[in-house]
Amino acid sequence: GPLRQPKRAARRADAIIVIRSKKPRKKFTLPEKVPVFYAQSQTVSPYDEGEKLYAFAGIGYPKKFFACLNNLVGRRSFPDHYQYTDKDIDLLRHMAKKRGAKLITTEKDWVRLPLELRDEIKYAKQVLTIDNAFYDWLGDKLK
């Protein structure tokens, strides 16, 4: 991905999976000799569509996560791989309660929460659907 590798790294890839987005990205020329497959990414909230949400995330590009959620009434970004403190959780709870909202985060952040909070704070699932042609290619490659 663009946050992990420079564009020139695509030349040494065995294959490229392009995740389609509703918003068009900058033009990027893919290497001609590398197979390209496409995927769709969808963020699925565990809450009903009308539920007010207060989101928090400690990931590389939190704006993308926040943009995928409906009925967002607040959000808070933390540094990538952030280890949440009790003070952080208390502040997040306070901000959500003030807005009548439920707390929601990413799955990556959720696993870093203390076990006793995992029933109270839910995560939005990231569902990635890759074109079947990729799996055919991968099967051939593994043989």
Side-chain angles (χ1 to χ4, degrees), residues 4-138:
R4 303 272 183 233
Q5 292 286 321
K7 290 178 184 178
R8 68 181 178 278
R11 294 188 300 247
R12 59 184 162 83
D14 291 315
I16 296 172
I17 298 174
V18 176
I19 300 173
R20 294 183 176 160
S21 173
K22 291 178 183 174
K23 294 180 181 178
R25 298 261 169 106
K26 294 178 184 175
K27 291 285 184 192
F28 176 64
T29 305
L30 297 170
E32 290 181 25
K33 296 182 181 189
V34 178
V36 177
F37 304 97
Y38 293 89
Q40 297 289 333
S41 179
Q42 180 183 13
T43 301
V44 180
S45 173
Y47 295 108
D48 292 334
E49 200 169 305
E51 189 77 53
K52 292 179 183 177
L53 302 176
Y54 190 97
F56 67 98
I59 57 175
Y61 191 60
K63 288 180 185 180
K64 185 176 178 182
F65 170 65
F66 299 145
C68 294
L69 296 170
N70 293 326
N71 221 16
L72 201 60
V73 296
R75 64 179 150 241
R76 174 78 194 273
S77 298
F78 293 89
D80 199 11
H81 304 284
Y82 188 75
Q83 293 299 319
Y84 299 99
T85 66
D86 290 343
K87 186 177 176 182
D88 296 326
I89 299 301
D90 288 344
L91 178 62
L92 290 167
R93 282 175 162 157
H94 171 75
M95 298 305 288
K97 185 176 181 180
K98 191 170 147 179
R99 291 171 172 81
K102 302 280 187 184
L103 284 172
I104 189 167
T105 192
T106 67
E107 192 168 6
K108 178 182 165 190
D109 289 292
W110 185 81
V111 298
R112 287 188 305 231
L113 294 174
L115 292 174
E116 64 271 11
L117 294 176
R118 293 187 186 174
D119 286 336
E120 174 189 343
I121 301 171
K122 300 201 182 314
Y123 64 88
K125 270 190 177 187
Q126 192 67 32
V127 179
L128 185 69
T129 307
I130 303 173
D131 290 344
N132 287 333
F134 168 75
Y135 297 104
D136 296 337
W137 172 85
L138 183 60

